[in-house]
Amino acid sequence: MRFRPCIDIHNGKVKQIVGGSLRDNQDTARENFVSSQDAAWYAEKYRRDGLKGGHVILLNHSGSPYFHADREQALGALRACPGDLQVGGGINDENAADYLDAGASHVIVTSFVFRDGKLNRENLNRMLQAVGKERLVLDLSCRRRDGSYYIVTDRWQKFTDMELNGECLEALSSCCSEFLIHAVDAEGKTAGIEEDLAALLGEWQGIPVTYAGGVGTWEDLALLERLGRGKIDVTVGSALDLFGGTLSYAKLVQKYGAARK
């Protein structure tokens, strides 16, 4: 299991939020932490600490008055450590090249390829033509409904009709190089991981997967490593002392920051 760092940007600032509280209306979210540092500062820190494969996420929608500020923050982070970070949020086939040219290793997409609650094959093919499978990450962040996990879009506010299961992972794995999966209802709460989701992902035998959501203690990390069979990577945000939490970032880098075990 490998630690993947994050830089979440909302209203032009690096933040940690409670994922399920994010709303496009008036660009609101329940905040756990608002940084006085910009995104480039975090990117440079991750570079110095030898971390790769982290995620820069723009949390405002593309029509928001804050989106331009989010974008400038993201581009600054990518330029600070070219080739080290992935970027997502408002990405489509027309603007993906801007982020890749700025230094993103991959672009992360959800809402552009899931429209009106369904997988939009045309848009997925357009993304593949624009960036290629090897530089595309599909964000399959999900929430539980009727006992199952379903992929959600539009900053985690809208359910799709696609259940996240082994069949779904198998079908989509031919279209991207990695999956990023937030357990949205646990995201930002530091109250424990979604165990059923972690176990489901641990059974997956295909392309790399990164899990995010709920990690608050070393016990949570150990449980995720066990349920994920050591194969899935992890993003930790609000729990880190780097973002105002109690979990030691330095110790996490020391234990999980090396190459995949």
Side-chain angles (χ1 to χ4, degrees):
M1 186 169 77
R2 182 171 51 142
F3 168 51
R4 303 279 200 106
C6 64
I7 304 174
D8 294 343
I9 305 167
H10 183 249
N11 293 0
K13 296 182 179 295
V14 175
K15 294 183 182 181
Q16 287 294 313
I17 68 167
V18 176
S21 73
L22 188 62
R23 296 291 182 270
D24 288 346
N25 183 29
Q26 299 183 339
D27 296 299
T28 60
R30 194 183 320 154
E31 299 170 346
N32 290 331
F33 177 82
V34 181
S35 180
S36 60
Q37 305 290 348
D38 63 11
W41 184 91
Y42 287 94
E44 290 166 355
K45 180 171 183 58
Y46 298 154
R47 177 182 55 80
R48 290 195 303 270
D49 293 335
L51 299 175
K52 296 182 181 293
H55 311 101
V56 181
I57 305 296
L58 293 73
L59 292 173
N60 293 97
H61 65 101
S62 59
S64 165
Y66 295 102
F67 187 77
H68 178 73
D70 287 4
R71 186 175 183 276
E72 290 304 305
Q73 285 267 21
L75 291 173
L78 299 175
R79 292 172 182 137
C81 53
D84 287 356
L85 294 168
Q86 304 173 1
V87 63
I91 305 289
N92 57 48
D93 61 316
E94 295 181 351
N95 64 19
D98 294 339
Y99 294 101
L100 295 176
D101 290 345
S105 64
H106 300 71
V107 291
I108 306 166
V109 178
T110 307
S111 299
F112 184 67
V113 300
F114 287 93
R115 289 297 177 92
D116 301 317
K118 300 180 182 299
L119 178 65
N120 187 309
R121 286 284 179 183
E122 180 180 351
N123 282 2
L124 179 55
N125 288 334
R126 286 165 62 185
M127 282 304 307
L128 289 170
Q129 291 170 7
V131 304
K133 172 187 173 181
E134 66 280 0
R135 302 191 76 176
L136 181 63
V137 176
L138 289 182
D139 183 336
L140 305 184
S141 295
C142 59
R143 307 181 84 159
R144 193 190 288 271
R145 185 173 67 181
D146 300 327
S148 299
Y149 290 101
Y150 286 85
I151 297 169
V152 290
T153 67
D154 298 280
R155 279 106 13 234
W156 307 325
Q157 296 168 71
K158 297 180 181 178
F159 277 90
T160 72
D161 65 358
M162 182 167 282
E163 182 181 348
L164 184 67
N165 53 30
E167 182 180 351
C168 165
L169 295 173
E170 183 65 31
L172 293 176
S173 64
S174 63
C175 304
C176 62
S177 61
E178 297 184 15
F179 295 125
L180 170 62
I181 301 176
H182 293 81
V184 174
D185 289 326
E187 178 70 17
K189 295 181 178 178
T190 65
I193 65 170
E194 288 269 9
E195 296 184 30
D196 291 344
L197 178 59
L200 184 159
L201 299 177
E203 295 175 357
W204 169 242
Q205 300 293 326
I207 62 176
V209 177
T210 300
Y211 169 93
V215 172
T217 65
W218 291 104
E219 290 76 17
D220 291 334
L221 285 164
L223 179 59
L224 180 63
E225 188 168 20
R226 178 173 64 81
L227 293 174
R229 304 182 185 184
K231 297 181 298 183
I232 62 176
D233 293 340
V234 62
T235 290
V236 185
S238 295
L240 291 181
D241 54 6
L242 186 66
F243 296 117
T246 59
L247 204 63
S248 169
Y249 165 81
K251 290 182 179 178
L252 189 65
V253 172
Q254 184 179 26
K255 184 173 178 61
Y256 293 111
R260 181 186 296 274
K261 298 180 180 180

